[in-house]
Amino acid sequence: MPRSGNGSGNADERRLHELGYAQELQRSMSAFSNFGVSLTVVSVLSGCLTLYGFGMRTGGPVLIVWGWPLVGVMTLLVALSMAEVCSAYPTAGGLYYWSAKLADRHQAAWSWFTGWFNFLGQVAVTASVDYGAATFLNALLGIQGWYAVSTGHTVVLFAAILLVHGLLNQFGVGLLARLGDISVWWHVLGVLLIVGVLASVPDRHPSASFVFGHFANDTGFSSSWYVAALGLLLAQYTLTGYDASAHMTEETRGADRSGPRGMVKAVVVSLAAGWVLLIGLTYAIQDYTAEAGADVPPAQIFVDAVGAGTGKLLLVVVTGAQLFCGLASVTTNSRVIYAFARDGALPGSRFWHRINPRTQTPTNAIWLAVAGAFLLGLPALWNDTAFGAVTSISVIGLYIAYVIPTFLRLRKGDAFERGPWHLGRWSTPVGVGAVAWVCCVTVLFVLPQSSPVTWETFNYAPVAVLAVAGYAGAFWLVSARRWFTGPRVQGTPEELAARDASASVVTERS
């Protein structure tokens, strides 16, 4: 089949037609905007700072600082492997579509389970990002004296943020693209501002041996190796969501190059910016014990290091980045739901697949994403470790979905028909490293995170993962295996071209 690569809308639409889909979404995103969505979803200002307190308890500075590049390099292998598959199949379905096309046998089953794990991971990412934003916003309002810091108030803010993100997503992809472009600069300049202030303003800093070598354990476990392994969650949770570029390819110009480049660039830029941010924040610690025990440790570090006034300014920067991240996460999540429903894989698929004819956005899928995220974050009301579990769920769900098409790509070997962006002879070693790493983190993040293990400290991530896997498996055995055939072809390329031309005429007239 011919591959598009010149970036023209017509070439993108022809390639989409060859893959079996009509051009239902508005294709208005540039390559930079596509990259911006992934960079925003990864969001080092969100992930690094949201789990920084967790990192202070599970290994401390030595794991925070050195765990980041280790996880970052391994994550880059995963992103590279996914990127070359994205180039071959630039569709909103992304991972589950790739699995169907790459499997030699049982294509529908591979696609089904990939899609459900992706769905779980996307919902968990949205929940964890917006709950983290609510936590930081609550801290900011608490410092200002406007709103008491409590779990109940955080949940209220969490619901309000999700509602706003759902409403903003209804306005169309044009608005989201502009906000995504702003978000890129907000993140880059925000990191530089925070690190610059924390490096220059405080009267004293901890020693280099502390920043790069201090180990801390406040988990209750005696094994330093086990605690150090848990500490990798900070970096791995942050470095997720870069598949957003793949899910936005049906809305991106030059998708078979822009999509894979967006994924890889997002990881590379985040790797560099995140490491600078983590070193800068650790270098500003004033009272480790008190700050590690604070409701929002980074907020306490800001205030202790630079004073309440400047600390609030830095919190505004962080909270703004988290709100951008949550907005982009809802967008990506809704595209996953839209694509999966387009192929009949969700209960009520016809309803969730509907496109708003005015905005050309999947409105119903947007609100399913919002509702699912709220339900997943709600247990924080009665379980103090719920947020850590949600972050684990996001890592496990997404990375299982990431590794399935990567594994199938390896099995495909030379039979894989490459797109214009590919790894060449490095495809196999990079893919093997990616699969091995995902197997490690999937096991690691279902383990207990605090000792002793009680109902209050239990990591319910394996329960949620097993519940979704059990539901998808039971649904498959009882019903779906009889009717789900994988991605549905909506027509021949000629029929789809005619359909899109007719739709364009109707849109112009209206």
Side-chain angles (χ1 to χ4, degrees):
M1 288 184 183
R3 293 281 194 264
S4 64
N6 58 12
S8 71
N10 288 338
D12 288 318
E13 290 180 19
R14 284 197 301 271
R15 181 58 187 146
L16 187 59
H17 295 161
E18 291 166 1
L19 297 174
Y21 294 123
Q23 183 66 57
E24 295 179 309
L25 300 173
Q26 182 181 352
R27 193 179 289 275
S28 60
M29 271 195 171
S30 65
F32 183 82
S33 295
N34 181 282
F35 153 72
V37 172
S38 278
L39 187 73
T40 300
V41 174
V42 173
S43 183
V44 295
L45 285 172
S46 177
C48 288
L49 300 188
T50 297
L51 278 195
Y52 191 82
F54 178 87
M56 294 179 80
R57 298 189 301 274
T58 56
V62 67
L63 260 296
I64 291 172
V65 172
W66 293 114
W68 181 266
L70 168 65
V71 173
V73 170
M74 300 309 295
T75 299
L76 184 58
L77 298 183
V78 181
L80 287 166
S81 297
M82 292 168 56
E84 72 168 356
V85 181
C86 175
S87 181
Y89 308 114
T91 71
L95 307 167
Y96 87 90
Y97 183 95
W98 304 346
S99 292
K101 293 300 181 182
L102 293 170
D104 293 324
R105 296 187 304 159
H106 309 300
Q107 291 90 343
W110 284 109
S111 176
W112 175 266
F113 285 99
T114 302
W116 275 100
F117 276 111
N118 195 21
F119 173 72
L120 170 67
Q122 289 288 347
V123 171
V125 165
T126 303
S128 59
V129 169
D130 274 355
Y131 191 87
T135 301
F136 273 74
L137 181 59
N138 201 357
L140 176 61
L141 297 176
I143 294 173
Q144 195 68 24
W146 294 348
Y147 201 59
V149 177
S150 69
T151 301
H153 287 171
T154 299
V155 171
V156 171
L157 291 172
F158 172 54
I161 290 169
L162 282 170
L163 177 63
V164 171
H165 284 166
L167 292 171
L168 285 173
N169 266 273
Q170 278 195 302
F171 286 101
V173 73
L175 173 63
L176 297 177
R178 288 192 292 274
L179 291 175
D181 293 347
I182 295 171
S183 174
V184 171
W185 297 110
W186 185 283
H187 277 80
V188 172
L189 297 178
V191 168
L192 294 176
L193 174 65
I194 290 171
V195 173
V197 169
L198 293 180
S200 60
V201 173
D203 295 328
R204 62 186 180 88
H205 296 281
S207 66
S209 61
F210 175 87
V211 173
F212 294 98
H214 179 70
F215 180 85
N217 176 12
D218 189 27
T219 64
F221 293 108
S222 59
S223 171
S224 298
W225 288 103
Y226 182 82
V227 173
L230 290 178
L232 297 178
L233 177 60
L234 184 157
Q236 194 62 82
Y237 162 67
T238 304
L239 295 171
T240 56
Y242 45 87
D243 59 314
S245 288
H247 298 301
M248 302 304 292
T249 50
E250 291 186 31
E251 298 160 77
T252 303
R253 299 186 294 272
D256 51 7
R257 283 190 169 90
S258 299
R261 286 173 177 166
M263 294 168 67
V264 175
K265 285 180 181 178
V267 173
V268 171
V269 173
S270 298
L271 177 55
W275 204 18
V276 171
L277 176 65
L278 289 173
I279 293 173
L281 184 60
T282 307
Y283 189 57
I285 290 174
Q286 305 295 305
D287 184 341
Y288 193 90
T289 302
E291 289 161 356
D295 291 327
V296 184
Q300 193 63 52
I301 293 172
F302 290 163
V303 172
D304 291 349
V306 300
T310 307
K312 285 187 285 188
L313 172 62
L314 300 185
L315 273 178
V316 168
V317 173
V318 173
T319 304
Q322 292 174 328
L323 293 174
F324 277 123
C325 178
L327 178 64
S329 182
V330 171
T331 305
T332 306
N333 193 351
S334 67
R335 271 43 174 192
V336 172
I337 294 169
Y338 155 80
F340 209 31
R342 177 171 60 183
D343 294 317
L346 291 175
S349 285
R350 188 171 297 179
F351 178 78
W352 303 120
H353 170 237
R354 288 178 187 168
I355 295 291
N356 185 318
R358 184 176 61 84
T359 62
Q360 289 186 274
T361 55
T363 301
N364 296 344
I366 289 168
W367 291 107
L368 178 58
V370 168
F374 179 72
L375 291 176
L376 197 55
L378 198 56
L381 279 173
W382 59 84
N383 188 323
D384 291 337
T385 61
F387 181 76
V390 172
T391 60
S392 293
I393 292 167
S394 67
V395 171
I396 295 166
L398 283 182
Y399 273 89
I400 290 177
Y402 289 177
V403 81
I404 291 175
T406 302
F407 169 72
L408 294 173
R409 160 69 185 95
L410 286 173
R411 292 207 317 177
K412 198 80 172 175
D414 293 336
F416 173 65
E417 186 182 357
R418 292 168 170 164
W421 194 102
H422 58 81
L423 300 176
R425 61 190 177 90
W426 292 101
S427 179
T428 297
V430 169
V432 170
V435 171
W437 178 250
V438 173
C439 290
C440 289
V441 298
T442 300
V443 173
L444 182 61
F445 298 138
V446 298
L447 299 175
Q449 298 173 350
S450 297
S451 178
V453 179
T454 65
W455 287 111
E456 287 75 25
T457 63
F458 180 69
N459 178 8
Y460 74 89
V463 176
V465 173
L466 288 174
V468 171
Y471 172 78
F475 195 2
W476 174 260
L477 291 173
V478 172
S479 175
R481 63 189 177 93
R482 299 185 179 90
W483 50 264
F484 182 73
T485 58
R488 293 176 179 174
V489 175
Q490 294 180 316
T492 66
E494 293 75 20
E495 290 170 341
L496 294 172
R499 169 179 165 178
D500 287 345
S502 177
S504 297
V505 171
V506 172
T507 301
E508 290 172 1
R509 287 177 177 174
S510 61

